[in-house]
Amino acid sequence: MAQDIQRAVIAVLIENESGALARVVGLFSGRGYNIESLTVSAIDATRNLSRITIVTSGTEMVITQIKAQLARLIPVHGVRDLTECGPHVARELALIKVVSKGETRTEGMRIAQAFRAHAVDTTAGSFVFELTGSAEKIDAFVELMQPLGLAEVSRTGIAAIGRGTEVFQSIEESF
């Protein structure tokens, strides 16, 4: 019987120190876990904390192991599986360069408008669009730009946060 592979969005509060991110990434690579998306940023200068958002996938047992192993890392202050904690908001930013002229240029602008993408750079032969939304929305936009001259894509990875009044602040609140 094949086990179901599930996707997890995991938030990690970690010391903002040199080597902390390397420990988290090392945990994943050392055990053969895949990281689909990774974002990190300092969030609290007074407590010297950064927040890492990791999107990964695996069986329920693998996801449970990942969370437990993350919680045991020395610089980690908290781990929260946003996919288990109820509704959450997940967004991604992408910059998409399209090189085109004539009709394809016009079609690219029409599609960009429908997706609410903003042209943040324009030359006679190219556009750079900025698009924010779900990973699926960005994937769909990129797919539509492919035949119109898609040249480059740069994506931030997913930033996610729980909905409602609960606040993720420390290890006591971990999964």
Side-chain angles (χ1 to χ4, degrees):
M1 175 198 256
Q3 292 186 324
D4 289 335
I5 301 297
Q6 56 190 23
R7 190 169 183 244
V9 179
I10 301 170
V12 181
L13 294 180
I14 192 165
E15 286 288 327
N16 186 10
E17 64 185 25
S18 178
L21 179 60
R23 289 186 197 142
V24 170
V25 171
L27 182 147
F28 278 78
S29 66
R31 289 165 179 79
Y33 303 143
N34 186 41
I35 296 174
E36 295 176 19
S37 172
L38 176 92
T39 58
V40 61
S41 183
I43 60 162
D44 188 336
T46 58
R47 292 173 51 204
N48 197 36
L49 291 178
S50 288
R51 181 182 175 124
I52 300 172
T53 304
I54 303 168
V55 179
T56 190
S57 58
T59 63
E60 185 177 342
M61 184 177 84
V62 166
I63 300 298
T64 301
Q65 286 177 336
I66 289 171
K67 293 183 296 190
Q69 290 167 356
L70 282 169
R72 285 195 295 268
L73 287 178
I74 294 301
V76 170
H77 286 252
V79 176
R80 178 174 276 180
D81 184 345
L82 296 172
T83 48
E84 284 187 349
C85 292
H88 62 280
V89 177
R91 308 287 278 178
E92 185 175 359
L93 169 73
L95 297 174
I96 298 109
K97 183 186 287 186
V98 178
V99 176
S100 63
K101 293 184 185 220
E103 279 300 310
T104 56
R105 188 171 172 85
T106 305
E107 179 68 5
M109 285 301 290
R110 189 188 62 72
I111 292 169
Q113 186 176 18
F115 275 79
R116 294 190 203 134
H118 303 282
V120 293
D121 184 65
T122 304
T123 67
S126 70
F127 287 110
V128 175
F129 296 109
E130 175 186 82
L131 181 62
T132 304
S134 69
E136 295 79 14
K137 176 183 178 181
I138 293 170
D139 290 343
F141 183 77
V142 167
E143 186 176 324
L144 289 171
M145 289 294 134
Q146 195 77 42
L148 302 179
L150 179 71
E152 279 186 72
V153 178
S154 178
R155 296 173 77 154
T156 61
I158 293 172
I161 198 162
R163 294 186 64 205
T165 58
E166 285 189 40
V167 178
F168 177 41
Q169 295 181 0
S170 67
I171 196 74
E172 294 83 35
E173 301 172 45
S174 289
F175 65 102

